[in-house]
Amino acid sequence: MNADAVRSPLWQVYLLQCADSSFYAGVTTDLARRIQQHNGQLAGGARYTRARRPVALVWFKACDSRSDAQQKEQALRRLSREQKLALIAGAEERG
């Protein structure tokens, strides 16, 4: 078996902006699928986003492992709204 077959999937931490302008943070290995789930196009998604559709991806970052992604998610959730907006603005500037 080659090393590529054993490699773990690429984990990502992401930030969504909901229709009510609130934010939702999560982790996934398939960002496109996860956004479809949050928007109700596929089964799944979080209860929080179900009542706040549609959602839009506003920021994401690749991580080395699931643990790393979950740690970054928790740090992201602790940020104030203003800090999250600044993070999004910084990502748009780098574009």
Side-chain angles (χ1 to χ4, degrees), residues 25-86:
V27 300
T28 187
T29 57
D30 187 342
L31 197 51
R33 175 191 48 84
R34 195 67 180 130
I35 293 168
Q36 287 180 321
Q37 288 176 319
H38 284 302
N39 276 318
Q41 297 160 332
L42 296 174
R47 182 179 297 156
Y48 183 85
T49 59
R50 205 169 296 148
R52 294 168 174 85
R53 291 177 183 152
V55 300
L57 179 67
V58 292
W59 180 88
F60 70 96
K61 181 175 181 156
C63 299
D64 294 330
S65 65
R66 180 178 182 172
S67 174
D68 184 35
Q70 289 176 319
Q71 288 174 7
K72 285 180 172 53
E73 175 192 17
Q74 287 305 314
L76 188 57
R77 289 181 181 203
R78 285 190 295 268
L79 296 178
S80 68
R81 178 172 182 80
E82 292 73 25
Q83 290 171 315
K84 290 174 186 171
L85 290 169

